[in-house]
Amino acid sequence: MQDRFKVILSVYTLFIKNSRIFLLRRFNTGYYDGYYGLPAGHLEADETLRQAAAREVKEETGLSVRPEDLRLAHVLYRRSSIPTPHERADFFFVAGEWQGELYNAEPHRCDHADWFSLVALPENIVPEVKQAIEQIQTGALYSEIWP
């Protein structure tokens, strides 16, 4: 039997409070180091997208988020060439509630974390994250990055 085409699934979580969004600056990851992104990661076996997002949030920020408190806000389908050509489906969730205080729980992978105005995002933001944030603000549920 021929192998089926595979797409990498990623999850991202937006924390928004008082028109500000929480971002982490990537460090020592090999992908857009020095650029701001969201708490994010890949789907693992035997978990739902919201479970994966909640797990990644805990690992990267120390926060506890219940999967049912995550609302799907945007899906981004994209082609990437880093490190090799592949395609991704990125699922962006907005956290409605959370427990704890946000902090950088992975200083070996992130060298700065802070709240930023939604209308003045940093210039050094991961392109797909920037596109998703902008699309979410317009109410668009789906977009693509297709070179």
Side-chain angles (χ1 to χ4, degrees):
M1 177 180 226
Q2 183 179 5
D3 284 342
R4 292 193 178 262
F5 173 72
K6 293 178 177 58
V7 174
I8 297 171
L9 303 179
S10 300
V11 293
Y12 299 75
T13 302
L14 289 79
F15 292 93
I16 300 171
K17 182 171 65 172
N18 301 325
S19 298
R20 299 176 69 76
I21 187 166
F22 185 77
L23 299 173
L24 305 157
R25 189 170 57 203
R26 302 178 61 83
F27 169 74
N28 204 30
T29 68
Y31 184 76
Y32 278 101
D33 289 331
Y35 283 69
Y36 284 94
L38 297 164
H42 298 106
L43 182 72
E44 294 182 357
D46 296 321
E47 67 182 352
T48 68
L49 292 168
R50 292 190 306 176
Q51 288 170 337
R55 174 182 50 77
E56 290 291 347
V57 163
K58 184 70 170 173
E59 292 173 5
E60 295 181 17
T61 71
L63 285 182
S64 294
V65 177
R66 297 180 317 164
E68 58 268 24
D69 289 330
L70 296 170
R71 176 184 57 83
L72 181 64
H74 192 72
V75 177
L76 174 63
Y77 193 75
R78 64 188 172 97
R79 183 176 285 163
S80 179
S81 60
I82 302 170
T84 58
H86 63 281
E87 293 177 24
R88 291 182 172 267
D90 298 328
F91 296 84
F92 292 82
F93 294 91
V94 173
E97 294 183 23
W98 60 86
Q99 294 76 44
E101 290 297 319
L102 285 163
Y103 71 97
N104 175 14
E106 292 185 330
H108 60 287
R109 303 186 78 191
C110 167
D111 65 358
H112 183 250
D114 208 347
W115 292 90
F116 294 86
S117 170
L118 281 166
V119 296
L121 295 172
E123 287 190 27
N124 57 328
I125 189 168
V126 177
E128 58 267 23
V129 169
K130 180 180 182 190
Q131 177 167 321
I133 292 169
E134 290 171 347
Q135 294 292 308
I136 289 167
Q137 290 182 85
T138 69
L141 185 58
Y142 176 81
S143 67
E144 299 170 344
I145 296 177
W146 208 257

